Amino acid sequence: MNYQEITPDEGSLLLMLQAGDQTAFDEIFNRYAAPVHTYIRLRLNGSEEADDVLQEVFIRLWHKRQSIVIHSSFRNYLYTIVQHCISDHLRAARRRRYTLPDDMPETQEANPQPDEQYQYKQVYYMWRGAMQQLPGQMRRIYAMKIEEQRSVKEIASELRLSEQTVKNQLHTAGQRMIKILRQVQLFFL
């Protein structure tokens, strides 16, 4: 990120921010928003969602204002928040991409075509059938992650397993699902 060097008045700005001064926050936003936004757009390959991530960065800064501890520079502190927001955004995007909705997806048309409904249902039932072929605990872990959107830590805690065991089970489940679905796909070709 290409920032200005920290000036002496940034120290007082940070103190004012920690005290909840909206003007100090606005000044920090005005100084850093453009370069942070440029960096986020580069990291997200020009995604239009960069605006949302930028907003999240400054929301987090505001919420953490009272506990700000600068070890090296404000720039590094802000960079850490940016990295966390980008990672959270990418993780959420992956989760949305691999989660099947409970009901029919919205389409551009007012009424989905019957063949689209049929195809969606067929794919959904193939996916559910493939999931049923997984061994018991692996199926439960996979369902908790995909359907319930639980974190690895939550799954491990509830099932009293190590996080690494949960990760291994999810990885193996994903590989088995792909293998099963490929066999189904070959059958229908």
Side-chain angles (χ1 to χ4, degrees):
M1 292 192 263
N2 189 11
Y3 295 105
Q4 307 166 317
E5 286 297 313
I6 293 184
T7 59
D9 70 327
E10 280 187 342
S12 59
L13 266 178
L14 290 174
L15 288 174
M16 292 167 56
L17 175 66
Q18 286 176 323
D21 187 326
Q22 182 68 43
T23 308
F25 177 79
D26 292 343
E27 179 61 30
I28 290 170
F29 180 85
N30 290 335
R31 288 184 188 186
Y32 292 101
V36 167
H37 188 259
T38 301
Y39 177 75
I40 293 169
R41 283 186 60 83
L42 287 171
R43 284 287 313 276
L44 297 179
N45 297 320
S47 170
E48 294 175 3
E49 295 173 341
D51 295 343
D52 296 337
V53 176
L54 176 70
Q55 184 178 9
E56 180 61 28
V57 167
F58 284 95
I59 288 171
R60 286 189 191 183
L61 178 65
W62 178 256
H63 287 296
K64 294 180 178 211
R65 70 187 179 277
Q66 294 175 331
S67 62
I68 292 176
V69 176
I70 307 296
H71 295 289
S72 57
S73 70
F74 177 70
R75 182 178 128 204
N76 289 345
Y77 182 83
L78 188 60
Y79 175 78
T80 302
I81 293 175
V82 170
Q83 292 301 105
H84 286 269
C85 288
I86 290 171
S87 295
D88 291 348
H89 172 77
L90 293 173
R91 191 176 310 111
R94 277 194 306 272
R95 202 175 287 138
R96 283 190 305 272
R97 184 177 30 200
Y98 292 116
T99 303
L100 288 175
D102 290 334
D103 48 351
M104 292 294 295
E106 294 180 21
T107 62
Q108 304 289 59
E109 303 168 14
N111 297 317
Q113 298 297 316
D115 63 327
E116 290 175 347
Q117 290 177 349
Y118 176 76
Q119 288 173 354
Y120 174 79
K121 286 180 181 177
Q122 287 299 104
V123 169
Y124 178 75
Y125 288 123
M126 282 185 236
W127 176 79
R128 292 294 296 176
M131 197 170 114
Q132 293 303 315
Q133 292 182 35
L134 296 174
Q137 183 166 330
M138 184 181 293
R139 181 175 52 246
R140 176 70 181 129
I141 291 170
Y142 186 77
M144 290 173 78
K145 181 69 176 166
I146 302 301
E147 294 177 337
E148 299 172 23
Q149 295 188 353
R150 300 245 192 120
S151 70
V152 169
K153 189 174 188 173
E154 291 171 331
I155 297 168
S157 174
E158 184 172 322
L159 298 179
R160 296 186 178 142
L161 299 170
S162 73
E163 289 182 31
Q164 189 59 50
T165 299
V166 172
K167 289 177 187 176
N168 292 345
Q169 290 285 310
L170 287 170
H171 177 75
T172 304
Q175 288 180 327
R176 289 185 181 187
M177 290 290 289
I178 290 170
K179 185 177 179 182
I180 293 167
L181 291 172
R182 279 191 183 142
Q183 291 171 348
V184 171
Q185 180 185 13
L186 289 174
F187 178 75
F188 284 106
L189 288 178

